[in-house]
Amino acid sequence: MSQLSPGFDLWPGRLDAAAQAALLAEVLTAIEAAPLYRPATPRGRPMSVEMTNLGPLGWITDAKGYRYEARHPHTGRPWPPIPQALLALWAELSGDARPPDACLVNLYRPGARMALHQDRDEADFTVPVLSVSLGDTAVFRLGGTRRADPTRSLKLASGDVCRLAGPARLAHHGIDRVLAGSSRLVPGGGRINLTLRRAT
Ligand code: MD3
Ligand code: FE
């Protein structure tokens, strides 16, 4: 594990190839029940990232704003459960005794990106966020609590796990781009990011 800035911990290759394939298979099965969709920002701009969620609550965005909801906005059904392997990873690495209640699934097909933002729709910012990367390598940007703070760029590869805690929990961050063809894990190409959170 390495700490690249206060509160930001990275475990490169924390999941080996077999663990990545097993986790991806579970996520792809869950996606059959809770299809990926392309959300729109509150201002009505479609995001380039496709999303779905796992767990009791899921993060959504639409004309009404950003929030957590218990049901898929298109199917109206509850989100599928968070895979056991992810709950075990949270128990091992989060440093938080209570389990996550939300797991956002982001799919980046070639050309998708995520603008610099903060994650602040959760009730308690003392609870860390844990992120798992699968598939193509992403160029990730990490800044500070203030939008104008300097940023650094680092790569997140398949199997990498990172934790955002303490001062990094409210850091600005985004995905500048995804390196197409850098992994063969995701069918059709691309990158899947799983973020475990406690929303409540
Ligand atoms: C830093 N996801 O879902 S993961 C997001 O790769 C999100 O899909 C990106 O930003 C992705 O909100 C980045 C790494 C990450 C996740 C949550 C964070 C970094 C974070 C929360 C606070 C600070
Ligand atoms: Fe984020």
Side-chain angles (χ1 to χ4, degrees):
M1 188 263 275
S2 62
Q3 186 160 68
L4 292 106
S5 61
F8 181 83
D9 297 299
L10 177 64
W11 290 266
R14 175 64 184 72
L15 301 184
D16 64 18
Q20 292 170 39
L23 178 56
L24 178 68
E26 287 202 82
V27 170
L28 292 178
T29 299
I31 286 170
E32 291 176 23
L36 290 155
Y37 64 98
R38 184 181 297 244
T41 67
R43 307 183 73 162
R45 271 180 56 91
M47 295 182 73
S48 58
V49 178
E50 294 164 68
M51 294 185 174
T52 189
N53 289 272
L54 310 173
L57 292 170
W59 185 88
I60 69 164
T61 169
D62 61 19
K64 293 183 213 154
Y66 303 139
R67 64 198 180 278
Y68 283 89
E69 292 278 1
R71 289 170 184 275
H72 191 292
H74 297 176
T75 69
R77 292 195 299 264
W79 308 104
I82 299 174
Q84 201 50 239
L86 287 176
L87 296 175
L89 206 58
W90 173 276
E92 184 184 344
L93 301 181
S94 76
D96 198 284
R98 293 165 62 190
D101 60 12
C103 177
L104 176 60
V105 179
N106 292 327
L107 171 66
Y108 297 78
R109 293 293 190 193
R113 53 187 298 278
M114 190 177 283
L116 205 67
H117 68 278
Q118 289 175 297
D119 289 19
R120 45 186 316 158
D121 302 312
E122 300 76 27
D124 182 355
F125 302 135
T126 69
V127 182
V129 171
L130 199 68
S131 150
V132 179
S133 294
L134 296 173
D136 286 343
T137 297
V139 180
F140 172 65
R141 185 166 296 280
L142 181 66
T145 311
R146 287 169 303 194
R147 198 177 167 86
D149 286 340
T151 63
R152 61 194 299 170
S153 176
L154 55 142
K155 286 181 181 174
L156 295 177
S158 195
D160 290 0
V161 178
C162 63
R163 179 181 63 188
L164 304 310
R169 175 64 183 77
L170 286 172
H172 287 78
H173 60 281
I175 298 294
D176 289 344
R177 61 199 182 97
V178 171
L179 306 180
S182 50
S183 157
R184 299 185 50 179
L185 186 68
V186 175
R191 167 174 187 264
I192 290 178
N193 183 261
L194 308 164
T195 46
L196 295 160
R197 306 135 184 269
R198 201 154 65 238
T200 57

